[in-house]
Amino acid sequence: MLTFRKTAILAAFLLTVFYLLHSSSSAPPVSQTNLTTSKTRSKLEADTTSSPTSSPQTTGALPQATRPYPPPRQANKQISSQQPLGDSSSKSLRDQLQYQFPYDREGKFPAYIWQTWKVTPASGEFGDNFRPAEASWTEKHPGFIHEVVTDKAAVLLLRHLYASVPEVVDAYTSLPLPVLKADFFRYLILLARGGIYTDIDTTALKSTTDWLPAEVPRSTIGLIVGIEADPNRADWHDWYSRRIQFCQWTIQAKSGHPILRDIVATITEDTLRMKKLGILKEKKLDKTIMEFTGPAVWTDAVFSYLNNPTYYKMDGKNFTWETFTGMETAKKVGDVVVLPITSFSPGVQQMGSKELDDPMAFVKHDFEGESSV
């Protein structure tokens, strides 16, 4: 039987238990996040202080394996503002072209064949007299991409390739004559894409694999050019612009070659200069077509490159027409191979050119194509 004393003790005990249970349930639970963070921090501190392979850390820095990305800013350093990537506003035209179209001499010659005409061979308006010549390039180069670029396509293509160098596009579209655009296009497409450019009225007699001597590695060559004219006569200047004149109806090159970069910059600068002066018109040009975009300026660009010590170490004597006159085999100068007149002008029966069946005859030019583009 419960007495009053026992009842009072039992009540006190129950109150104590209730109080303890209430205090325990009302205390904030331990955060799992805090627990994890605490364990991780302890782990990092242990790794930092005890790992024998850790490199010394600067004050406040995390170990290399746990460094956040991007790195946090440091209060004692002033972060400079980021400069725009590829900002070319302060670069010269030649520097811009070099940046956009870098030159890799050791790379392969691109497997492209470029030609221009008013329509493509798929059109019924494509002249039958050109079809065998055009087809010969595909037949001799079955693995190549062969493009006949029309006038309209040329503009779109160049706007795409030279979008980052608008001065070049402006110059091309401003040229007043189709022949000027046709000349300029060949340099532009080879600079940007490389390969072979050849006029629509040329016939491939041999594959480009036969153009170089077997002992010359293609990894050492960036441009192949042939001699167009070698007039050994006193009145040569009445017929040709240069004593040795390099051919530009057929050229093979790797993209970005410095000769192409130089001639593209030269023609662009001359075009925009004449445009500013108001003389970029057919009968007001202050240069002949030969000197503006044709074989003369092309020949000058080749000689300028060969005589530039930046690209080729000379033995104290410049290369001149005398270096190449009368040659009958290929001649390598630096990363340029010059082919004799027979290679791209066989059968002309002058200036030492030999017949079409000569082993050095690679391309036949019929001189029938009117300027397109």
Side-chain angles (χ1 to χ4, degrees), residues 151-272:
D151 299 8
K152 293 181 180 179
V155 177
L156 297 176
L157 179 59
L158 294 178
R159 282 176 176 166
H160 168 69
L161 295 175
Y162 289 87
S164 59
V165 195
E167 303 99 305
V168 173
V169 180
D170 183 13
Y172 176 82
T173 56
S174 298
L175 290 171
L177 297 172
V179 64
L180 298 174
K181 289 184 176 180
D183 282 342
F184 199 16
F185 178 85
R186 69 196 67 195
Y187 312 132
L188 291 169
I189 196 63
L190 290 178
L191 175 62
R193 286 293 178 263
I196 299 171
Y197 170 85
T198 191
D199 280 357
I200 199 68
D201 58 349
T202 60
T203 299
L205 302 177
K206 291 185 179 180
S207 168
T208 182
T209 57
D210 298 324
W211 292 7
L212 291 180
E215 64 273 14
V216 177
R218 286 184 168 261
S219 61
T220 65
I221 302 300
L223 186 136
I224 301 174
V225 64
I227 291 178
E228 174 187 355
D230 184 11
N232 187 17
R233 48 192 293 176
D235 63 344
W236 66 264
H237 48 79
D238 294 334
W239 302 91
Y240 299 96
S241 60
R242 302 293 185 268
R243 175 58 180 81
I244 280 285
Q245 191 164 286
F246 293 120
C247 162
Q248 41 102 264
W249 60 68
T250 300
I251 306 167
Q252 185 177 22
K254 294 176 181 177
S255 60
H257 195 279
I259 293 178
L260 297 166
R261 182 169 69 238
D262 179 54
I263 195 168
V264 165
T266 297
I267 294 174
T268 298
E269 291 164 350
D270 279 345
T271 302
L272 298 182

Side-chain angles (χ1 to χ4, degrees), residues 26-82:
S26 62
V30 176
S31 169
Q32 184 67 29
T33 303
N34 291 342
L35 179 62
T36 304
T37 303
S38 177
K39 289 181 178 180
T40 303
R41 184 181 298 111
S42 299
K43 176 78 163 55
L44 292 178
E45 290 173 354
D47 289 345
T48 304
T49 57
S50 62
S51 175
T53 59
S54 298
S55 59
Q57 303 293 319
T58 57
T59 305
L62 293 174
Q64 183 70 24
T66 58
R67 182 176 298 165
Y69 186 83
R73 293 189 178 187
Q74 298 183 21
N76 61 341
K77 288 186 178 181
Q78 184 176 359
I79 306 300
S80 59
S81 59
Q82 185 177 9

